[in-house]
Amino acid sequence: MSVIREVKERLKIFRELWAFMRIRKKWWLAPIILVLLLLGLFIVATQGSALAPFIYTLF
């Protein structure tokens, strides 16, 4: 049961961010956040692969 509670606590930041964007009409933040999340996921997914040296040269 504590694992579920911990996951809920970690996801709380996303709920708060969504509420902030919805209430204050800050929809321009959504594409920025989405691109940052996708970029982070891409870097983590290719971290141990042979593509890593080529990806890091882009930055």
Side-chain angles (χ1 to χ4, degrees), residues 3-55:
V3 174
I4 295 172
R5 185 176 300 139
E6 184 177 331
V7 170
K8 283 185 179 182
E9 284 296 318
R10 289 187 182 200
L11 293 178
K12 185 178 179 181
I13 186 73
F14 294 111
R15 287 191 306 245
E16 290 179 9
L17 182 63
W18 176 252
F20 172 79
M21 290 188 334
R22 191 184 64 218
I23 292 169
R24 295 204 169 77
K25 308 293 189 219
K26 303 286 185 184
W27 299 115
W28 55 270
L29 285 173
I32 296 170
I33 294 169
L34 182 66
V35 167
L36 287 174
L37 286 174
L38 289 174
L39 184 64
L41 181 66
F42 180 68
I43 289 172
V44 168
T46 59
Q47 186 174 2
S49 73
L51 295 175
F54 301 109
I55 293 169

